[in-house]
Structures are given as C-alpha cells and as structure tokens.
Amino acid sequence: MQVCDDLDPDGTEGSELTYLHGVAVAQDTSVADDLDAIEVPTGVWAVFHTAGPYPQTLQTTWAATATAWFPANPWRLRPGPAIVAVLDRADDFSTATCELWLPVESA
C-alpha cells in the first residue's frame, strides 16, 4: 500500500505530507519497534478502481476526483490518510490495477 497522511486540507500543490509504503494489519497486531505505524480511523471511504498504464492512470483518476467526482457528489474529504492499494501489476510496473481510497464525509 502507498499511504499519504497529514495532507493539506486544501490540497495545495507542493505542500508537505507523510508518505509511507506498507501493509494493512489488524489493530491488535504487534509491530516491530523499528517500523512506523499509523492508525486509520473508522469512517466512510470513496474507492476508485483504476487499471492501465502506471502511474498515469492513477494520477488521472486522482485528479478527476477533485475536478469531476467531488463537485458532482454530496461528499467532501475528511481527515485521514489517502491510500493506494496495488491489486495487480506488470513485472516492470508499466501497467497496474489499483484502488484509490479517500476518506470522505457528507458535505
């Protein structure tokens, strides 16, 4: 998984964020002391499925959430990490099937 956390609420280009690669584990799973862990609160998520050239298709989908999906739907981002799950990929990562998970709440 690819995780972006501590995102600027306005999504300002060039703003700092926390970027992690990791795996999802149950809350009661012990994690080695030399690894970082973030807690992902329970909530509603908008999930966008992508498949195609990587990373272009994922980047296009991410941009479309701001320009098309959010303006047309009664949801807004809520605090929490944005998560990309890579479900399948070519050996050279030229193509991939992914899910983009965005934390949302009713607008």
Side-chain angles (χ1 to χ4, degrees):
M1 305 183 100
Q2 303 161 7
V3 179
C4 295
D5 202 10
D6 304 320
L7 297 165
D8 178 345
D10 295 323
T12 305
E13 185 71 28
S15 59
E16 292 190 18
L17 55 85
T18 299
Y19 181 76
L20 305 165
H21 284 201
V23 297
V25 297
Q27 187 172 7
D28 60 349
T29 302
S30 62
V31 177
D33 291 337
D34 62 341
L35 297 177
D36 291 323
I38 62 169
E39 186 171 330
V40 178
T42 301
V44 177
W45 298 81
V47 181
F48 303 90
H49 185 85
T50 70
Y54 185 85
Q56 297 86 351
T57 303
L58 177 60
Q59 292 168 334
T60 299
T61 299
W62 200 306
T65 67
T67 60
W69 192 84
F70 278 107
N73 288 282
W75 300 95
R76 65 178 175 220
L77 288 172
R78 64 174 169 83
I83 300 170
V84 174
V86 179
L87 306 176
D88 193 24
R89 65 177 180 86
D91 289 340
D92 65 356
F93 232 125
S94 60
T95 61
T97 301
C98 302
E99 288 180 342
L100 170 60
W101 289 62
L102 299 176
V104 296
E105 63 188 5
S106 184

